[in-house]
PDB file of all heavy atoms in Angstrom:
ATOM      1  N   PRO A 167       2.870  37.155  -7.127  1.00 98.00           N
ATOM      2  CA  PRO A 167       2.140  36.102  -7.841  1.00 98.00           C
ATOM      3  C   PRO A 167       0.677  35.958  -7.406  1.00 98.00           C
ATOM      4  O   PRO A 167       0.376  35.866  -6.220  1.00 98.00           O
ATOM      5  CB  PRO A 167       2.938  34.838  -7.509  1.00 98.00           C
ATOM      6  CG  PRO A 167       4.313  35.340  -7.200  1.00 98.00           C
ATOM      7  CD  PRO A 167       4.125  36.665  -6.541  1.00 98.00           C
ATOM      8  N   TYR A 223      13.046  40.493  -8.902  1.00 97.00           N
ATOM      9  CA  TYR A 223      13.609  39.523  -7.953  1.00 97.00           C
ATOM     10  C   TYR A 223      13.522  40.068  -6.533  1.00 97.00           C
ATOM     11  O   TYR A 223      13.753  41.243  -6.283  1.00 97.00           O
ATOM     12  CB  TYR A 223      15.087  39.230  -8.267  1.00 97.00           C
ATOM     13  CG  TYR A 223      15.756  38.439  -7.156  1.00 97.00           C
ATOM     14  CD1 TYR A 223      15.669  37.048  -7.125  1.00 97.00           C
ATOM     15  CD2 TYR A 223      16.428  39.084  -6.115  1.00 97.00           C
ATOM     16  CE1 TYR A 223      16.237  36.322  -6.084  1.00 97.00           C
ATOM     17  CE2 TYR A 223      16.999  38.357  -5.071  1.00 97.00           C
ATOM     18  CZ  TYR A 223      16.898  36.983  -5.068  1.00 97.00           C
ATOM     19  OH  TYR A 223      17.449  36.266  -4.036  1.00 97.00           O
ATOM     20  N   TYR A 224      13.134  39.227  -5.606  1.00 96.00           N
ATOM     21  CA  TYR A 224      13.432  39.378  -4.174  1.00 96.00           C
ATOM     22  C   TYR A 224      13.451  37.961  -3.600  1.00 96.00           C
ATOM     23  O   TYR A 224      12.907  37.026  -4.212  1.00 96.00           O
ATOM     24  CB  TYR A 224      12.458  40.322  -3.447  1.00 96.00           C
ATOM     25  CG  TYR A 224      10.983  40.028  -3.585  1.00 96.00           C
ATOM     26  CD1 TYR A 224      10.329  39.129  -2.734  1.00 96.00           C
ATOM     27  CD2 TYR A 224      10.219  40.680  -4.557  1.00 96.00           C
ATOM     28  CE1 TYR A 224       8.966  38.894  -2.847  1.00 96.00           C
ATOM     29  CE2 TYR A 224       8.865  40.442  -4.673  1.00 96.00           C
ATOM     30  CZ  TYR A 224       8.234  39.549  -3.811  1.00 96.00           C
ATOM     31  OH  TYR A 224       6.886  39.307  -3.925  1.00 96.00           O
ATOM     32  N   PRO A 225      14.099  37.746  -2.456  1.00 96.00           N
ATOM     33  CA  PRO A 225      14.390  36.370  -2.018  1.00 96.00           C
ATOM     34  C   PRO A 225      13.168  35.463  -1.874  1.00 96.00           C
ATOM     35  O   PRO A 225      13.261  34.262  -2.121  1.00 96.00           O
ATOM     36  CB  PRO A 225      15.094  36.577  -0.667  1.00 96.00           C
ATOM     37  CG  PRO A 225      15.712  37.932  -0.763  1.00 96.00           C
ATOM     38  CD  PRO A 225      14.762  38.746  -1.597  1.00 96.00           C
ATOM     39  N   GLU A 226      12.034  36.012  -1.485  1.00 97.00           N
ATOM     40  CA  GLU A 226      10.846  35.178  -1.235  1.00 97.00           C
ATOM     41  C   GLU A 226      10.033  34.887  -2.498  1.00 97.00           C
ATOM     42  O   GLU A 226       9.096  34.085  -2.469  1.00 97.00           O
ATOM     43  CB  GLU A 226       9.920  35.871  -0.221  1.00 97.00           C
ATOM     44  CG  GLU A 226      10.532  36.123   1.148  1.00 97.00           C
ATOM     45  CD  GLU A 226      11.334  37.415   1.250  1.00 97.00           C
ATOM     46  OE1 GLU A 226      11.524  38.095   0.201  1.00 97.00           O
ATOM     47  OE2 GLU A 226      11.766  37.754   2.349  1.00 97.00           O
ATOM     48  N   LEU A 227      10.388  35.506  -3.614  1.00 97.00           N
ATOM     49  CA  LEU A 227       9.516  35.482  -4.789  1.00 97.00           C
ATOM     50  C   LEU A 227       9.377  34.091  -5.409  1.00 97.00           C
ATOM     51  O   LEU A 227       8.283  33.700  -5.824  1.00 97.00           O
ATOM     52  CB  LEU A 227      10.021  36.491  -5.829  1.00 97.00           C
ATOM     53  CG  LEU A 227       9.134  36.773  -7.036  1.00 97.00           C
ATOM     54  CD1 LEU A 227       7.721  37.162  -6.615  1.00 97.00           C
ATOM     55  CD2 LEU A 227       9.735  37.876  -7.905  1.00 97.00           C
ATOM     56  N   ALA A 228      10.450  33.326  -5.472  1.00 96.00           N
ATOM     57  CA  ALA A 228      10.380  31.988  -6.087  1.00 96.00           C
ATOM     58  C   ALA A 228       9.380  31.099  -5.350  1.00 96.00           C
ATOM     59  O   ALA A 228       8.564  30.407  -5.973  1.00 96.00           O
ATOM     60  CB  ALA A 228      11.762  31.337  -6.106  1.00 96.00           C
ATOM     61  N   LEU A 229       9.430  31.112  -4.008  1.00 97.00           N
ATOM     62  CA  LEU A 229       8.496  30.299  -3.222  1.00 97.00           C
ATOM     63  C   LEU A 229       7.064  30.808  -3.380  1.00 97.00           C
ATOM     64  O   LEU A 229       6.117  30.021  -3.415  1.00 97.00           O
ATOM     65  CB  LEU A 229       8.905  30.307  -1.746  1.00 97.00           C
ATOM     66  CG  LEU A 229       8.090  29.390  -0.824  1.00 97.00           C
ATOM     67  CD1 LEU A 229       8.129  27.947  -1.322  1.00 97.00           C
ATOM     68  CD2 LEU A 229       8.600  29.473   0.610  1.00 97.00           C
ATOM     69  N   GLN A 230       6.898  32.114  -3.508  1.00 97.00           N
ATOM     70  CA  GLN A 230       5.561  32.679  -3.713  1.00 97.00           C
ATOM     71  C   GLN A 230       4.967  32.213  -5.047  1.00 97.00           C
ATOM     72  O   GLN A 230       3.763  31.959  -5.137  1.00 97.00           O
ATOM     73  CB  GLN A 230       5.613  34.203  -3.639  1.00 97.00           C
ATOM     74  CG  GLN A 230       5.912  34.730  -2.239  1.00 97.00           C
ATOM     75  CD  GLN A 230       6.151  36.229  -2.216  1.00 97.00           C
ATOM     76  OE1 GLN A 230       6.032  36.915  -3.232  1.00 97.00           O
ATOM     77  NE2 GLN A 230       6.500  36.743  -1.051  1.00 97.00           N
ATOM     78  N   PHE A 231       5.798  32.087  -6.078  1.00 97.00           N
ATOM     79  CA  PHE A 231       5.309  31.540  -7.347  1.00 97.00           C
ATOM     80  C   PHE A 231       4.796  30.114  -7.145  1.00 97.00           C
ATOM     81  O   PHE A 231       3.738  29.748  -7.663  1.00 97.00           O
ATOM     82  CB  PHE A 231       6.413  31.566  -8.410  1.00 97.00           C
ATOM     83  CG  PHE A 231       6.380  32.780  -9.286  1.00 97.00           C
ATOM     84  CD1 PHE A 231       7.072  33.934  -8.940  1.00 97.00           C
ATOM     85  CD2 PHE A 231       5.655  32.784 -10.467  1.00 97.00           C
ATOM     86  CE1 PHE A 231       7.030  35.063  -9.736  1.00 97.00           C
ATOM     87  CE2 PHE A 231       5.606  33.909 -11.282  1.00 97.00           C
ATOM     88  CZ  PHE A 231       6.287  35.058 -10.919  1.00 97.00           C
ATOM     89  N   LYS A 232       5.525  29.319  -6.387  1.00 97.00           N
ATOM     90  CA  LYS A 232       5.080  27.939  -6.114  1.00 97.00           C
ATOM     91  C   LYS A 232       3.778  27.938  -5.329  1.00 97.00           C
ATOM     92  O   LYS A 232       2.858  27.172  -5.622  1.00 97.00           O
ATOM     93  CB  LYS A 232       6.163  27.177  -5.341  1.00 97.00           C
ATOM     94  CG  LYS A 232       7.324  26.743  -6.200  1.00 97.00           C
ATOM     95  CD  LYS A 232       8.276  25.854  -5.431  1.00 97.00           C
ATOM     96  CE  LYS A 232       9.405  25.386  -6.341  1.00 97.00           C
ATOM     97  NZ  LYS A 232      10.427  24.608  -5.622  1.00 97.00           N
ATOM     98  N   ASP A 233       3.700  28.790  -4.293  1.00 97.00           N
ATOM     99  CA  ASP A 233       2.488  28.854  -3.473  1.00 97.00           C
ATOM    100  C   ASP A 233       1.276  29.276  -4.298  1.00 97.00           C
ATOM    101  O   ASP A 233       0.141  28.886  -4.006  1.00 97.00           O
ATOM    102  CB  ASP A 233       2.676  29.832  -2.312  1.00 97.00           C
ATOM    103  CG  ASP A 233       3.616  29.291  -1.240  1.00 97.00           C
ATOM    104  OD1 ASP A 233       3.814  28.055  -1.201  1.00 97.00           O
ATOM    105  OD2 ASP A 233       4.165  30.089  -0.450  1.00 97.00           O
ATOM    106  N   LEU A 236       2.073  28.855  -9.898  1.00 97.00           N
ATOM    107  CA  LEU A 236       2.511  29.377 -11.193  1.00 97.00           C
ATOM    108  C   LEU A 236       3.898  28.859 -11.536  1.00 97.00           C
ATOM    109  O   LEU A 236       4.774  28.810 -10.674  1.00 97.00           O
ATOM    110  CB  LEU A 236       2.551  30.912 -11.158  1.00 97.00           C
ATOM    111  CG  LEU A 236       1.234  31.641 -10.879  1.00 97.00           C
ATOM    112  CD1 LEU A 236       1.463  33.145 -10.837  1.00 97.00           C
ATOM    113  CD2 LEU A 236       0.171  31.293 -11.912  1.00 97.00           C
ATOM    114  N   ILE A 238       7.428  29.415 -13.454  1.00 97.00           N
ATOM    115  CA  ILE A 238       8.222  30.553 -13.942  1.00 97.00           C
ATOM    116  C   ILE A 238       8.466  30.447 -15.449  1.00 97.00           C
ATOM    117  O   ILE A 238       8.897  31.414 -16.077  1.00 97.00           O
ATOM    118  CB  ILE A 238       9.567  30.675 -13.198  1.00 97.00           C
ATOM    119  CG1 ILE A 238      10.449  29.447 -13.457  1.00 97.00           C
ATOM    120  CG2 ILE A 238       9.357  30.910 -11.711  1.00 97.00           C
ATOM    121  CD1 ILE A 238      11.883  29.599 -12.950  1.00 97.00           C
ATOM    122  N   ILE A 292      13.372  36.331 -11.476  1.00 96.00           N
ATOM    123  CA  ILE A 292      12.814  34.998 -11.230  1.00 96.00           C
ATOM    124  C   ILE A 292      12.251  34.416 -12.525  1.00 96.00           C
ATOM    125  O   ILE A 292      12.386  33.232 -12.811  1.00 96.00           O
ATOM    126  CB  ILE A 292      11.701  35.077 -10.152  1.00 96.00           C
ATOM    127  CG1 ILE A 292      12.307  35.381  -8.771  1.00 96.00           C
ATOM    128  CG2 ILE A 292      10.865  33.815 -10.122  1.00 96.00           C
ATOM    129  CD1 ILE A 292      13.154  34.272  -8.202  1.00 96.00           C
TER     130      ILE A 292
END
Side-chain angles (χ1 to χ4, degrees):
Y223 169 85
Y224 53 86
E226 299 85 354
L227 189 53
L229 185 56
Q230 291 172 4
F231 265 89
K232 284 187 178 175
D233 288 340
L236 299 178
I238 64 170
I292 290 292

